[in-house]
Amino acid sequence: MSSRALISVLALMAAVPAGAAPALDAETPLLPRTAEEAARIAAVTAPTTDFSAPERFEDKPGGGASVRARTTADAFSDPSANIGLEGRMTFNLGNGLFTRNWVSAPASTTASDGLGPLLNAAACQACHVKDGRGRPPVSEGEAPVSLFLRLSVPAPDALEAEMAQVAGWMASAPDPVYGGQLQTFSLPGVPAEARMLVDYTESPVTLAGGEVVSLRKPTYTIADPAYGDLAADLMTSPRVAPQMIGMGLLEAIPAAEIMALADPDDADGDGISGRANVVMSAVQGAPVLGRFGHKAGMPSVREQSAAAFSGDMGLSTSLHVSAGGDCTAAQVACMAAPSGADPATGVEVSDESLDLVTFYARNLGVPERRDAADPTVLRGKRVFYDAGCTSCHTPKFVTGRDAENSAQSFQLIWPYTDLLLHDMGEGLADHRPEERATGTEWRTAPLWGIGLTEQVTGHASFLHDGRARTLMEAILWHGGEAQASRDTVAALPKDDRDALIRYLESL
């Protein structure tokens, strides 16, 4: 472990209450590396300086779990290539639950009831279409399904004391009436919370050589709130559903190696900080490293899945036991609606079902690279490195040895993310803190598979709220710590910018 990583770990340990052990890796019992392994991994994951040919194994971004790159909309839907026959059977069972349309209770299909009463979608796949990323509405009057608003208000003093368990944690609380996110759908007899409207303002940006790119800035309105006035100090944050591939591999990166990349005070003076989000694990009851979600607010695939069951579909699990999901006490009809909870377990989604969905999400394979040896792609790769994009979009890691999840164990992977929080500037700010993430910070998004976005989902939609319609628009929205890289790209000759896009499309 580097000295910087050790300092970061010790800082976390100091923030944990006396008597509690810090648990940076959520749920994943990784075996420690030997000194020989650590040295070998450091050499393998060092940034390349040779752009004359692809690096060894670069065409397998998910290591042995990589899957063939399909040319259809199913490119993100294959299981990890190395999970074996039994793993495929479990994956298929999880797929069945992921695509299942849940229904209201009571119903004859007791294994599938309990939906709502408030909801954003009736099935996981309704947001993660073909396991890809969501999008904002594309036509006037279209209701948002894979885009929603997170809601919160500043926390009361009592909660601030509780959340002070982790240094730098910015306390917030769900809206006392509307909860933690805006649900725009509901079951009969229960009013939906409101309508969400999105308007855009276009702004032209002129690049070197005269090329003009138009950026659209969204404005969100909560219309027709059904449960009374919105809180005066309400904070909102738009989120599109992220793509699902490679989540198990991201979970298997040793936390200490992610922490080693953090530089919260920019001690090296390169203009890039990188901070770890630290969240309270519902499973471990302790602070752990946040890895998933647009602000790294979730520690593990299982906890992310359980939170989505509750917040998006109003389904209870052993980690979120309220049958009303995100309903609040102020929403009387919602709280009084029938529950689909199994009398034996007291929840609507059993631990067995949650485990199956978790296994499915953990094992959605990362497609192999396309055209990695193409000269234009290699030129674009050099541009990517020279522009400093790798300061946050870390190309490669080696996952930890994981005795329980062999498909993710000890793989050389290429996710192009450091999983850390970075200040992305005022243009992308939501001004809503989430644990340690400030209102201008976002987790570095993984780039693997990004070139297949439109093929999988039928649309090109990037960034946390889907505002970017092309990869170049997404680059031009980068500000804050990424401003210098953004400006470098904007000043490049057009051929270099085109090569950069070709490189991203090959990932």
Side-chain angles (χ1 to χ4, degrees):
M1 183 183 301
S2 71
S3 58
R4 182 185 296 175
L6 180 60
I7 291 171
S8 298
V9 172
L10 290 174
L12 273 182
M13 293 176 66
V16 176
L24 297 177
D25 284 306
E27 301 186 50
T28 308
L30 301 178
L31 301 176
R33 307 223 198 262
T34 66
E36 180 183 353
E37 279 180 347
R40 187 153 45 99
I41 290 167
V44 167
T45 57
T48 186
T49 56
D50 179 3
F51 301 96
S52 63
E55 295 170 74
R56 195 179 182 197
F57 305 123
E58 189 176 1
D59 60 336
K60 302 281 189 184
S66 302
V67 298
R68 65 188 174 93
R70 294 206 209 189
T71 57
T72 69
D74 294 322
F76 288 171
S77 298
D78 284 327
S80 303
N82 56 354
I83 59 172
L85 182 59
E86 184 177 351
R88 284 177 175 268
M89 293 174 63
T90 305
F91 179 88
N92 289 336
L93 291 171
N95 185 25
L97 288 167
F98 193 82
T99 57
R100 169 183 294 177
N101 276 314
W102 294 78
V103 299
S104 60
S108 57
T109 53
T110 55
S112 303
D113 67 347
L115 179 69
L118 297 174
L119 61 140
N120 293 104
C124 303
Q125 185 147 265
C127 295
H128 304 278
V129 177
K130 289 291 185 181
D131 306 296
R133 71 184 67 231
R135 62 165 175 80
V138 295
S139 61
E140 186 174 352
E142 180 186 357
V145 175
S146 53
L147 168 71
F148 67 83
L149 292 178
R150 286 231 185 276
L151 309 175
S152 60
V153 296
D157 292 344
L159 195 56
E160 283 191 19
E162 179 182 330
M163 289 189 170
Q165 296 177 86
V166 177
W169 204 337
M170 289 163 285
S172 61
D175 180 274
V177 174
Y178 290 89
Q181 68 187 57
L182 189 72
Q183 279 97 15
T184 51
F185 298 97
S186 65
L187 299 181
V190 177
E193 292 189 318
R195 293 184 299 125
M196 185 182 73
L197 307 178
V198 191
D199 290 311
Y200 294 99
T201 303
E202 299 275 352
S203 299
V205 177
T206 302
L207 310 180
E211 181 184 1
V212 177
V213 177
S214 182
L215 302 183
R216 60 174 186 174
K217 183 176 179 61
T219 302
Y220 301 92
T221 303
I222 299 175
D224 304 326
Y227 297 89
D229 293 338
L230 302 163
D233 52 359
L234 181 67
M235 297 177 286
T236 64
S237 181
R239 310 287 175 91
V240 293
Q243 64 185 24
M244 299 287 294
I245 58 173
M247 293 178 69
L249 295 168
L250 296 178
E251 191 173 57
I253 300 172
E257 293 179 21
I258 296 170
M259 300 295 294
L261 299 172
D263 185 14
D265 300 318
D266 192 19
D268 61 7
D270 67 351
I272 306 296
S273 60
R275 301 194 310 124
N277 206 348
V278 178
V279 302
M280 187 63 73
S281 167
V283 172
Q284 294 161 278
V288 300
L289 177 69
R291 299 170 187 248
F292 300 106
H294 293 297
K295 284 184 182 270
M298 279 291 160
S300 69
V301 178
R302 191 165 189 267
E303 293 198 39
Q304 175 73 65
S305 301
F309 270 126
S310 177
D312 299 348
M313 294 183 284
L315 292 161
S316 57
T317 65
S318 59
L319 298 182
H320 297 271
V321 297
S322 172
D326 194 37
C327 295
T328 68
Q331 296 169 321
V332 177
C334 184
M335 296 299 287
S339 162
D342 184 308
T345 63
V347 296
E348 293 159 324
V349 179
S350 67
D351 278 350
E352 180 184 21
S353 293
L354 178 58
D355 289 343
L356 287 171
V357 170
T358 301
F359 185 89
Y360 174 76
R362 208 173 252 153
N363 282 287
L364 280 162
V366 180
E368 295 174 347
R369 284 279 305 281
R370 287 82 55 210
D371 305 321
D374 182 279
T376 304
V377 170
L378 290 169
R379 177 178 175 180
K381 180 180 178 181
R382 178 190 287 275
V383 171
F384 186 80
Y385 279 62
D386 288 349
C389 305
T390 57
S391 297
C392 304
H393 291 286
T394 306
K396 47 193 168 176
F397 288 93
V398 173
T399 60
R401 291 192 187 276
D402 183 346
E404 294 185 6
N405 301 295
S406 59
Q408 286 81 45
S409 180
F410 212 56
Q411 308 288 317
L412 172 62
I413 63 173
W414 305 70
Y416 308 94
T417 173
D418 57 9
L419 295 179
L420 295 173
L421 300 169
H422 293 274
D423 185 339
M424 294 299 291
E426 195 60 31
L428 292 175
D430 63 358
H431 299 295
R432 175 185 176 274
E434 184 173 329
E435 282 82 29
R436 298 176 82 191
T438 70
T440 60
E441 287 181 320
W442 299 92
R443 182 203 66 164
T444 306
L447 298 182
W448 51 15
I450 196 167
L452 295 171
T453 298
E454 188 165 7
Q455 174 185 310
V456 169
T457 64
H459 62 89
S461 175
F462 307 106
L463 299 176
H464 66 278
D465 54 6
R467 70 177 68 185
R469 297 157 293 191
T470 65
L471 291 170
M472 183 53 67
E473 286 186 33
I475 293 169
L476 296 176
W477 272 110
H478 282 52
E481 297 175 32
Q483 185 70 46
S485 294
R486 177 263 181 218
D487 292 347
T488 297
V489 172
L492 288 170
K494 187 174 186 306
D495 286 351
D496 279 345
R497 286 198 301 271
D498 290 346
L500 173 61
I501 298 302
R502 280 282 292 120
Y503 170 66
L504 294 173
E505 289 172 343
S506 77
L507 298 180

